[in-house]
Amino acid sequence: MKNIAVIGAGTMGNGIAHTFAQSGFKVQLIDISEESLKKGLATISKNLDRMVAKEKITEAQKQETLDNITTYTDTVEGVKNVNLVVEAATENIDLKLKIFKQLDAVCSQDTILATNTSSISITQIAAVTNRPSQVIGMHFMNPVPIMKLVEIIRGYSTSNDVTKTIMELSKKLGKIPTEVNDYPGFVANRILMPMLNESIETLYNGVAGVEEIDTVMKLGMAHPMGPLQLADFIGLDVCLSILNVMYDGFKNPKYAPCPLLINMVRAGKLGVKSGEGFYDYSESRKAENVAKQFLK
């Protein structure tokens, strides 16, 4: 298994492409937008530059990694002759089902189809294909090149051979794969999202402020990042989407998203990617922070 296609050049997609390419795989990175592909490659190059600066890789290894990536805006062309497709598109069930129907129609019969979904049912995605035994979840953590965990999610029909193949492949990437079964939120988000949602509820109820909540969790619970800052980093729209999937799947009110989270997403306050969430990430605030550091 040497030829990999990755669908989606966004944060997760370019990180997955980077990781495979750096491990010596030939990667065909696919996105409908040429601009997104250019941005994704620029992000990969920038992240590789950081690794060169830290002497984790050489300049030659950086160039070899970039040379292993070819970009496509045509999915049919992009998935030719690949052994594995990893879908990393937006966390939207209708979009994912559409993509997997197309992949099933154009990929060779032996190709394994994986999704990086963080919460959507693998079984439901597999059901729109004629190869449910070859559909599996590969839930990478962000940032992909750094984080070691990959949740390997078996759908109802995922075969033992496919599961074993993807577990071994993940190890070749330097990751630690963990096999889980197909239930809403899997393991990572089933535990994480209620904690983030409860943190937002705590803010919503006026118990404490943003920085106070994050400080308690960082200093008191040894979390490297506070829950509200982490929600900003993940994307508040993504958090809302995952909570909705879990609420719909379990019909349990403990998974119902906080009204504050719903309103912030409606207002376009999505966290880091929009420039504002629970914290301000705007250019003016960045300049202010730089000035403060300079004056210290």
Side-chain angles (χ1 to χ4, degrees):
M1 185 174 285
K2 276 293 181 183
N3 299 319
I4 313 295
V6 178
I7 296 182
T11 300
M12 296 305 295
N14 72 59
I16 294 168
H18 172 164
T19 300
F20 272 104
Q22 192 177 333
S23 298
F25 293 86
K26 297 297 182 183
V27 179
Q28 297 170 198
L29 181 59
I30 305 163
D31 200 290
I32 58 172
S33 165
E34 187 68 44
E35 182 180 348
S36 294
L37 288 168
K38 289 179 180 177
K39 186 177 179 181
L41 283 177
T43 298
I44 293 169
S45 182
K46 185 177 179 181
N47 289 336
L48 288 168
D49 283 337
R50 288 197 187 100
M51 297 178 78
V52 171
K54 294 178 180 178
E55 299 184 345
K56 291 184 176 181
I57 62 171
T58 64
E59 188 67 37
Q61 288 173 316
K62 171 197 168 182
Q63 192 56 52
E64 184 180 349
T65 298
L66 292 174
D67 289 344
N68 280 337
I69 303 173
T70 308
T71 61
Y72 295 84
T73 53
D74 184 336
T75 301
V76 177
E77 286 295 317
V79 298
K80 277 185 178 179
N81 303 316
V82 299
N83 310 112
L84 168 69
V85 181
V86 182
E87 170 272 318
T90 304
E91 193 75 349
N92 177 289
I93 181 61
D94 293 331
L95 175 60
K96 290 187 186 294
L97 296 182
K98 180 180 177 182
I99 289 171
F100 273 78
K101 282 181 183 178
Q102 182 184 21
L103 291 175
D104 185 49
V106 301
C107 290
S108 71
Q109 292 184 348
D110 296 330
T111 303
I112 296 172
L113 307 181
T115 173
N116 183 57
T117 180
S118 53
S119 61
I120 296 170
S121 168
I122 308 303
T123 303
Q124 184 178 1
I125 292 172
V128 302
T129 75
N130 292 308
R131 62 181 88 193
S133 65
Q134 293 164 246
V135 178
I136 195 165
M138 287 186 81
H139 180 209
F140 291 85
M141 304 294 122
N142 185 29
V144 180
I146 296 172
M147 300 292 280
K148 290 291 186 182
L149 175 67
V150 183
E151 270 190 308
I152 307 299
I153 308 104
R154 295 185 61 146
Y156 185 83
S157 301
T158 306
S159 73
N160 290 333
D161 286 345
V162 166
T163 303
K164 182 179 178 181
T165 297
I166 297 303
M167 292 286 283
E168 291 302 317
L169 177 66
S170 299
K171 291 175 184 176
K172 290 178 182 177
L173 298 175
K175 302 300 185 185
I176 299 173
T178 303
E179 182 182 337
V180 304
N181 290 318
D182 186 21
Y183 290 94
F186 316 133
V187 171
N189 282 318
R190 183 168 180 173
I191 295 169
L192 174 64
M193 286 301 152
M195 183 193 76
L196 299 188
N197 197 43
E198 191 62 32
S199 301
I200 299 169
E201 285 278 2
T202 303
L203 176 66
Y204 180 59
N205 292 329
V207 178
V210 171
E211 292 187 7
E212 288 76 13
I213 291 169
D214 278 355
T215 297
V216 167
M217 296 305 291
K218 285 190 288 186
L219 300 185
M221 313 304 164
H223 289 196
M225 184 183 294
L228 299 177
Q229 184 183 9
L230 178 56
D232 275 354
F233 182 70
I234 294 169
L236 302 191
D237 53 335
V238 175
C239 294
L240 178 60
S241 175
I242 295 169
L243 283 165
N244 281 332
V245 167
M246 293 169 66
Y247 183 55
D248 290 342
F250 291 116
K251 307 300 182 188
N252 188 323
K254 75 177 180 179
Y255 298 115
C258 175
L260 175 59
L261 174 61
I262 295 170
N263 276 340
M264 289 181 72
V265 172
R266 285 174 177 167
K269 311 297 185 185
L270 308 181
V272 174
K273 61 186 169 185
S274 70
E276 185 179 353
F278 293 106
Y279 292 87
D280 186 350
Y281 305 92
S282 63
E283 290 302 321
S284 60
R285 179 52 61 90
K286 287 179 184 176
E288 180 183 325
N289 289 338
V290 169
K292 285 181 179 178
Q293 290 174 7
F294 182 75
L295 292 170
K296 283 182 179 179

